[in-house]
Amino acid sequence: MNEEQRPPLSRGEAKIRRAFLYSVLLLAAVAVAGGAAYIFTRESAPEVAVDEAEIAPIAVAPATGEARTDDAPGADPTAPPAVRFTDITESAGIDFVHVNGAYGERLMPETIGSGAAFFDYDRDGDQDLFLVNSREWPGHETLPAPPTQKLYRNDGTGSFEDVTAEAGLGLTTYGMGVAIGDVDGDGWEDLFLTTLNENRLFRNEQGVFRDVTDEAGVAGGPDTWSSSAAFVDYDRDGDLDLFVVNYVKWSRDIDLEIDFRLTGLGRAYGAPLNFVGTDNQLYRNDGGGRFTDVSAQAGIPVGDPVSRNPVGKGLGVVPFDYDGDGWTDLIVVNDTVRNFLFRNLGAEGEAGFEETAIFEGVAYDRNGKATSAMGVDVARFRDDADLGIAVGNFANEMASLFVTTDGRPPFVDEAVLEGLGPASRIPLTFGLIFFDYDLDGRQDLLLANGHLEHEIHKVQQSQHYAQPPSLFWNCGEACGPRFVPIEPTDAAAGDLAQALVGRGIAYADIDGDGDLDVLITQNGRRPALLRNDQQTGHHWLRVELAGDAPDTGAIGARVALSAGGVTRVRDVRPSRGYLSQVERAVTFGLGSMDKVDALHIRWPDGSEQTVIPDGIDRTLRVEKAGGGAP
């Protein structure tokens, strides 16, 4: 019986098959790793250098320059398409260089890097770019002028102009992450900046930003180290609230007192294990430009019952509805301690949360251990009801991929089964995102990699300070492991193969051709703006929602596209990955399908709307029935 004659597997048979594959792959991974040692565990114990096994990714199909479609005669459905990314950073006018202030004392904040955001700040229809910068340490200034944050205006073709000064964003501070959202309902997207010290909220007044931090009440503590943030309507009252992730309790004196050292290198960057944790913060939007810190009453603090200290050491956050009750939940990934999953209690809990990560299976990795988690993203990568949570971890820790069963928790880590595990073990991953880079309709996965230590290769030969990003093509049901790692040294990868000190990732269609271009920030270096030059011939549809004020961007909405008997779901949730923000529009790759049957939209308030698109290969703006953005 050939494959075409074979009847489809039942759900139970599929589970058995997947369990078998998991066992085989796990045994293979253990065999490969058997001669390796984990020599850089981020603990202060002495380090011993050993050789490690390298895991070779599957090579991408050769670049031919010809269009490829999945149903083309003779096409191999298990062969990744030849998609080239081109570094256009300099030619596009991006002259930004990240400054971390490093001068030799190995202070921990120097390792974190910073984020980026694509958003349409001037409402001209294209995606502009904001880049977060840090600064030099007091008493160690060497630059002719203090470094600032940067805003670049897109001319619609993917060329950018520095408009930082005229837009009012020339701020010098030790910046970390960024979140974008219309907090006052005027139709102009505002900007929240997290920092090593007090955070900042900038109100967008028709293209000029004004610092409204003090009147809004969202600065946080003067010594609070904040990382990622997200705007989310957690209480479903129509406006955007603010969730801020905090990292560890840090000061220069604490850092130097710990005096973390790595054998062969001397003083090294400290591990979070040696620092006390912090609590995250939830700010309720009260309207009129004011927020109230409701963290305690909403159940956000998580304390250690023994030490009485906060548990969290958070770096990444994604808002999403994991239990399908219409109320937005939050996944927060922590560095060296268990992750948090805040379930929104909705009406039953008077707009509060309960922390359920252990119960729901996402607190620890497959071995029951906490990982050095940094970046996180969520997607329905199988085109069914199941949700997947991808987490980027430290060097010599596989990435995690927590997946539901039949769309319901608890989650199970299936990174090895789905092909993500072994190929993600060696690199040190910060940011990661799901996105459909070849427009075949399936969500692929991109990881930004880069180490903390400049000289790590001296003591660990498998590690380098700069590391190529890891791109995983989603092969769908045609493959055993679903995610096929693309060999970064293959010519088809283009400039995605370059070694980077990668941190945050953001994406947007910067040139209006329908595919998703990528920006990867680097620590202490210029970012890499990578134009997607795919020539697959695949069709696409981009959807931009206009919601009712005050949530004019419809953050939290869900869009389901039906075409050719397949339904794919995307959520409007721009805060994703690591310290960063992607564009608000959602992109559906259609592959060879040339027609969309329907779009079904569930708006943030729970109302539903069906739209029949009148074409493809275009951006469709949908206004909420009976309303719409200003």
Side-chain angles (χ1 to χ4, degrees):
M1 180 182 293
N2 60 36
E3 291 294 330
E4 294 182 354
Q5 295 172 325
R6 187 172 296 158
L9 295 175
S10 68
R11 185 70 181 181
E13 291 170 330
K15 285 184 178 180
I16 294 172
R17 177 178 181 270
R18 287 169 57 190
F20 174 75
L21 287 172
Y22 180 88
S23 302
V24 172
L25 289 170
L26 184 60
L27 288 172
V30 170
V32 171
Y38 188 172
I39 69 120
F40 190 29
T41 64
R42 302 188 67 170
E43 300 181 19
S44 55
E47 305 291 338
V48 180
V50 296
D51 292 334
E52 294 207 7
E54 296 281 359
I55 298 177
I58 299 173
V60 71
T64 63
E66 299 178 356
R68 172 192 181 276
T69 58
D70 289 342
D71 59 354
D76 181 358
T78 66
V83 174
R84 185 179 182 86
F85 287 85
T86 303
D87 190 334
I88 61 168
T89 313
E90 183 176 354
S91 62
I94 307 298
D95 57 359
F96 174 89
V97 177
H98 177 253
V99 175
N100 63 9
Y103 60 90
E105 283 195 326
R106 297 289 202 272
L107 301 178
M108 191 178 177
E110 298 165 4
T111 67
I112 296 299
S114 62
F118 281 112
F119 73 118
D120 185 8
Y121 90 95
D122 54 1
R123 292 180 52 169
D124 66 351
D126 50 46
Q127 296 299 309
D128 310 300
L129 174 63
F130 179 79
L131 291 165
V132 180
N133 210 347
S134 301
R135 62 175 300 170
E136 295 183 288
W137 298 107
H140 297 274
E141 294 87 351
T142 61
L143 299 173
T148 71
Q149 319 307 306
K150 287 288 186 179
L151 178 66
Y152 292 90
R153 181 172 58 209
N154 188 346
D155 69 359
T157 69
S159 293
F160 293 83
E161 176 188 4
D162 186 343
V163 295
T164 307
E166 64 191 73
L169 289 173
L171 171 70
T172 297
T173 186
Y174 212 102
M176 289 285 159
V178 57
I180 305 294
D182 181 6
V183 301
D184 51 8
D186 64 354
W188 295 80
E189 293 188 297
D190 309 302
L191 185 150
F192 182 75
L193 177 70
T194 65
T195 80
L196 183 61
N197 307 115
E198 292 187 343
N199 303 319
R200 301 294 186 92
L201 176 63
F202 293 90
R203 184 174 187 264
N204 187 345
E205 298 178 342
Q206 300 186 28
V208 177
F209 291 84
R210 180 169 64 89
D211 190 331
V212 296
T213 308
D214 290 341
E215 54 256 54
V218 294
D223 298 320
T224 300
W225 181 354
S226 298
S227 52
S228 293
F231 284 109
V232 54
D233 183 10
Y234 83 96
D235 52 4
R236 286 180 55 170
D237 65 352
D239 54 29
L240 292 178
D241 311 297
L242 176 63
F243 187 85
V244 181
V245 178
N246 295 320
Y247 193 31
V248 296
K249 183 178 180 181
W250 179 90
S251 71
R252 177 177 176 273
D253 290 342
I254 294 173
D255 204 330
L256 294 178
E257 183 180 350
I258 291 173
D259 196 25
F260 183 87
R261 292 185 176 270
L262 182 64
T263 301
L265 295 183
R267 176 164 168 82
Y269 286 111
L273 285 169
N274 300 310
F275 294 84
V276 175
T278 58
D279 285 320
N280 303 309
Q281 292 168 289
L282 176 65
Y283 295 94
R284 184 187 64 214
N285 189 337
D286 294 329
R290 292 288 306 173
F291 290 76
T292 299
D293 188 338
V294 296
S295 307
Q297 67 195 67
I300 300 303
V302 180
D304 186 306
V306 177
S307 69
R308 304 294 182 183
N309 290 323
V311 173
K313 300 177 182 181
L315 286 174
V317 60
V318 175
F320 73 120
D321 180 10
Y322 83 88
D323 53 3
D325 64 355
W327 294 80
T328 301
D329 313 300
L330 296 157
I331 175 75
V332 176
V333 294
N334 291 306
D335 193 355
T336 70
V337 297
R338 65 182 177 88
N339 301 320
F340 299 154
L341 181 60
F342 292 103
R343 176 178 174 262
N344 193 330
L345 299 176
E348 69 180 83
E350 297 181 356
F353 293 84
E354 65 173 344
E355 203 287 291
T356 63
I358 294 177
F359 179 75
E360 300 291 23
V362 299
Y364 303 105
D365 70 4
R366 65 188 61 78
N367 298 315
K369 296 180 179 180
T371 62
S372 297
M374 287 167 280
V376 58
D377 201 7
V378 178
R380 286 177 171 79
F381 65 90
R382 290 179 183 153
D383 294 331
D384 58 16
D386 283 329
L387 274 171
I389 302 174
V391 179
N393 294 319
F394 202 74
N396 303 310
E397 291 179 335
M398 293 182 186
S400 302
L401 183 61
F402 301 104
V403 188
T404 58
T405 299
D406 296 327
R408 294 184 299 274
F411 294 78
V412 176
D413 191 346
E414 297 189 359
V416 173
L417 171 67
E418 294 291 14
L420 177 62
S424 67
R425 185 178 66 85
I426 297 292
L428 196 167
T429 299
F430 277 85
L432 84 172
I433 52 170
F434 285 103
F435 78 131
D436 182 5
Y437 77 92
D438 62 339
L439 299 177
D440 66 354
R442 299 185 293 269
Q443 296 273 56
D444 311 300
L445 194 58
L446 177 65
L447 283 60
N449 305 318
H451 214 282
L452 311 182
E453 299 288 348
H454 294 71
E455 299 177 299
I456 188 62
H457 186 63
K458 291 182 178 180
V459 297
Q460 191 173 7
Q461 293 186 0
S462 67
Q463 293 297 323
H464 298 269
Y465 183 53
Q467 303 174 2
S470 300
L471 178 62
F472 291 83
W473 177 61
N474 188 338
C475 184
E477 298 296 334
C479 295
R482 179 178 302 267
F483 286 107
V484 178
I486 304 301
E487 172 59 66
T489 58
D490 195 286
D495 293 327
L496 193 64
Q498 65 184 306
L500 305 172
V501 187
R503 294 300 187 258
I505 307 179
Y507 68 70
D509 178 12
I510 64 171
D511 47 12
D513 62 357
D515 55 36
L516 295 173
D517 311 293
V518 173
L519 181 131
I520 300 177
T521 68
Q522 294 199 79
N523 187 39
R525 301 182 179 187
R526 70 175 182 87
L529 179 60
L530 301 164
R531 186 184 64 213
N532 187 337
D533 291 331
Q534 61 87 26
Q535 298 291 325
T536 60
H538 289 162
H539 296 295
W540 49 273
L541 181 69
R542 290 167 51 78
V543 181
E544 182 177 344
L545 300 184
D548 286 339
D551 184 7
T552 59
I555 291 178
R558 176 165 297 172
V559 184
L561 179 145
S562 297
V566 177
T567 297
R568 293 188 166 109
V569 177
R570 305 283 187 269
D571 292 334
V572 180
R573 42 179 171 77
S575 294
R576 297 164 56 185
Y578 175 76
L579 308 179
S580 299
Q581 175 114 6
V582 304
E583 65 175 353
R584 187 165 43 80
V586 296
T587 296
F588 290 93
L590 299 175
S592 60
M593 294 185 290
D594 58 5
K595 178 184 177 182
V596 173
D597 298 325
L599 289 172
H600 185 78
I601 302 163
R602 190 187 74 185
W603 296 92
D605 63 3
S607 63
E608 299 186 359
Q609 182 176 349
T610 299
V611 176
I612 308 300
D614 57 4
I616 58 171
D617 298 334
R618 52 172 291 204
T619 298
L620 178 66
R621 178 181 169 88
V622 180
E623 293 190 359
K624 189 171 183 289

